[in-house]
Amino acid sequence: MEIKKKNIYISAILAFIFPGLGHIYVGNLKKGLLFMLILVSLFLIGLAMKGGIIVLDEDLFFISRLLQICHFFNGSMFFITLLFSKFFGLGIEFGDITYSYYEIGQLFIIISALLNILIIFNAYDLAKNMFCEKEIKE
Amino acid sequence: MFIYFVSFLLLSFLTNFVFYLTSEENYSIVWKKTLTSTFNFVGILLLIGIIVFFLN
């Protein structure tokens, strides 16, 4: 059986752009779709619970900076929400700190971003293993 | 309180599921490990809840 060579960087970048795309690129369609479904639903539940994707902290304390970097790993979901919110003037990117479940919403979005980091590494790893298998077979 | 509990349960389940899906190939093992981990997490959560309840 011939294994098609996959670019490790493209798989990682695709996984960053949208969760699950890296796995689909590597050839693992079922896992890719599952990751996509889970992470998008986590992100949307987070937004529904009025969690924000921009950290409101004037001094930008160390933990807040880390949190902001973490939000960035949602990839295109982060940018789409930002653009959508700016375009329609919804203001959902900050969330609603007065809402009772704001923290839970924030937690959902953060976990979606952290899981995306894991998925990026996994897609990279899968592509690399395929590359190694190809080299061994040759 | 109910929403907090359901949220933590959902987060625990999905996190474990994604974590085991990245490391395992066999789906039955993934389900088994996910359910065991979620069950353990809920147990620990309830234990902490009971301790905090009695300390108050």
Side-chain angles (χ1 to χ4, degrees):
Chain A
M1 199 182 93
E2 197 186 326
I3 299 167
K4 278 187 184 174
K5 203 164 101 178
K6 301 284 181 188
N7 192 322
I8 47 175
Y9 300 109
I10 290 178
S11 69
I13 290 166
L14 279 175
F16 173 73
I17 288 172
F18 207 84
L21 272 189
H23 282 78
I24 293 172
Y25 170 72
V26 170
N28 216 330
L29 184 72
K30 199 175 171 186
K31 270 190 186 179
L33 289 176
L34 264 174
F35 287 141
M36 209 177 265
L37 183 77
I38 291 170
L39 291 209
V40 170
S41 50
L42 273 178
F43 188 79
L44 290 180
I45 291 170
L47 280 185
M49 284 185 157
K50 303 198 177 176
I53 51 167
I54 301 286
V55 180
L56 284 173
D57 189 351
E58 285 176 8
D59 303 326
L60 272 177
F61 181 55
F62 175 66
I63 299 292
S64 304
R65 278 177 203 271
L66 275 182
L67 206 60
Q68 193 56 68
I69 294 167
C70 176
H71 279 310
F72 177 70
F73 275 97
N74 272 311
S76 68
M77 291 191 289
F78 176 86
F79 294 109
I80 288 170
T81 313
L82 210 62
L83 279 175
F84 194 75
S85 178
K86 290 270 183 211
F87 193 72
F88 291 104
L90 298 172
I92 51 171
E93 72 266 37
F94 303 113
D96 184 4
I97 205 155
T98 55
Y99 188 64
S100 333
Y101 303 119
Y102 168 79
E103 284 92 357
I104 296 283
Q106 197 83 325
L107 196 65
F108 269 93
I109 295 174
I110 291 164
I111 287 182
S112 136
L114 291 176
L115 285 177
N116 199 21
I117 297 175
L118 181 72
I119 289 167
I120 290 168
F121 278 108
N122 191 236
Y124 175 87
D125 204 39
L126 280 177
K128 202 172 183 180
N129 283 348
M130 285 173 94
F131 184 65
C132 292
E133 276 174 30
K134 167 98 175 162
E135 275 188 342
I136 290 164
K137 287 197 174 178
E138 278 173 357
Chain B
M1 206 65 190
F2 178 71
I3 288 191
Y4 277 85
F5 186 73
V6 172
S7 300
F8 281 124
L9 194 67
L10 188 68
L11 280 175
S12 162
F13 178 77
L14 290 179
T15 310
N16 282 315
F17 185 66
V18 170
F19 177 73
Y20 288 120
L21 208 59
T22 55
S23 57
E24 299 283 347
E25 284 298 321
N26 192 342
Y27 277 85
S28 63
I29 298 174
V30 170
W31 279 116
K32 208 174 163 183
K33 285 189 173 178
T34 304
L35 290 176
T36 313
S37 300
T38 309
F39 185 73
N40 289 344
F41 176 78
V42 172
I44 292 166
L45 203 69
L46 284 176
L47 202 67
I48 292 170
I50 290 164
I51 291 167
V52 169
F53 179 77
F54 279 110
L55 281 179
N56 271 335

